[in-house]
Amino acid sequence: GNGWSAGYSLEKISDDQYFSELSTRIVTTSRINLPQQFNVDYVDDVWRFNALAQKFQTLDNLSYPYERLPQLTLTGNQYFGGFNANLYTQVVEYDRNEDAPVLATGNRFTFYPSISLPMLKPYGYLTPKVGIHHTSYNLNNVAANQESQQRTLPIFSVDS
């Protein structure tokens, strides 16, 4: 209600051979990662918010996908006269299953504000856009002097 929603998806089995013992279909027998996730969402006329927590049960003891604990995303879209302002932000904490080999973990922050000027006519459209895209990482289990990485890029585009 009032723009809020939530959901979950839990897949878990107690026998790692469950799929191969009960099916002959390759699509079923080749499953090795079972997702377990929970999300909360909010939407109104301007803002969208999503919070996600996602883990996996690994059946082959070889493949360990990254877990997002949590991932928070906020986007906004608002018109000011003929201009369209957009905002995209996301924070993600990446981790690995405790049984996984030691690999890089950490978090990422993304910030991307932009503004465009859509010009629409019956015969076509032209939309110039300018923005700045910033991403930063704080990592663990990586080589020295690689713990913190960031980049900032100006974005210019024309869509027609």
Side-chain angles (χ1 to χ4, degrees), residues 67-73 88 90-94 106-110:
E67 300 171 342
R68 296 180 282 180
L69 300 169
Q71 173 180 293
L72 305 173
T73 306
Y88 174 86
Q90 185 178 72
V91 176
V92 184
E93 181 74 29
Y94 292 101
N107 61 62
R108 179 186 70 211
F109 172 70
T110 304

Side-chain angles (χ1 to χ4, degrees), residues 62-67 94-101 103-105:
L62 296 172
S63 306
Y64 295 95
Y66 279 96
E67 300 171 342
Y94 292 101
D95 204 352
R96 300 292 293 245
N97 182 304
E98 61 272 358
D99 299 328
L103 293 173
T105 60

Side-chain angles (χ1 to χ4, degrees), residues 59-132:
L59 304 180
D60 68 354
N61 296 323
L62 296 172
S63 306
Y64 295 95
Y66 279 96
E67 300 171 342
R68 296 180 282 180
L69 300 169
Q71 173 180 293
L72 305 173
T73 306
L74 177 67
T75 59
N77 184 0
Q78 179 72 45
Y79 279 89
F80 297 99
F83 290 90
N84 179 232
N86 285 287
L87 175 66
Y88 174 86
T89 57
Q90 185 178 72
V91 176
V92 184
E93 181 74 29
Y94 292 101
D95 204 352
R96 300 292 293 245
N97 182 304
E98 61 272 358
D99 299 328
V102 176
L103 293 173
T105 60
N107 61 62
R108 179 186 70 211
F109 172 70
T110 304
F111 178 70
Y112 179 29
S114 64
I115 190 161
S116 62
L117 180 60
M119 295 176 272
L120 309 172
K121 298 292 181 190
Y123 52 83
Y125 66 93
L126 181 69
T127 306
K129 181 177 176 180
V130 62
I132 189 151

